[in-house]
Amino acid sequence: MTHDPTTRLRTRALALLRPWISLAAYQAAWWACVAAAARGRPLWGVAAVAAQLAWQLATSRKRSADGLLILLAIAVGLMGDTALGRSGWLRYAAPGPLPGYAPAWILALWAQFGSILREPLRWLHGRPALTAMLGGAGGALSYAAAARMGACQFVEPARALGALVLAWAVMAPALMDVARRLDSRLHSS
């Protein structure tokens, strides 16, 4: 069955725009989540991220891979943000229901990060040095922006930011490599 040229062009245009739409939706949900946490309404932010994740998964051609990356990112975030909070270097404005553990809203942000690893950030697959550099800088800047918005507070800014740069410089390439492997495995099947 062949498609007319207009349908093919429309399909191609959507394929080219989808990563950009995904990144825009990601950014909008990030801002909504952080702003809601800063205002003491973290569930509103979790709902915004859930909507973004629902769209991301509904439009994904590889839901199982994206779902696995989301779960893996949540696990990494739970360990990392719990450790950072317990270190005393960072405090969350809207702590979670389990004292001493990363709050739900920050885990929602990790879930959404996992959702963009495979397709929208595919251009970083196989580029671990660049991913480490962008991850280290971007991760720390994201937390700094969240702190500026009032969603968290750096108790010991130098240590917290140093830990964030290091953690994201290690974690981002590791998660990106898993995304690359899943993506290449799915392309070959």
Side-chain angles (χ1 to χ4, degrees), residues 132-133 135-137 139-141 159-170:
M133 187 173 63
L141 288 172
R159 287 184 179 177
L161 287 169
L164 285 165
V165 168
L166 182 61
W168 276 85
V170 171

Side-chain angles (χ1 to χ4, degrees), residues 23 31 65-66 83 114 152 170 182:
L23 291 173
W31 282 102
D66 289 336
C152 61
V170 171
L182 283 171

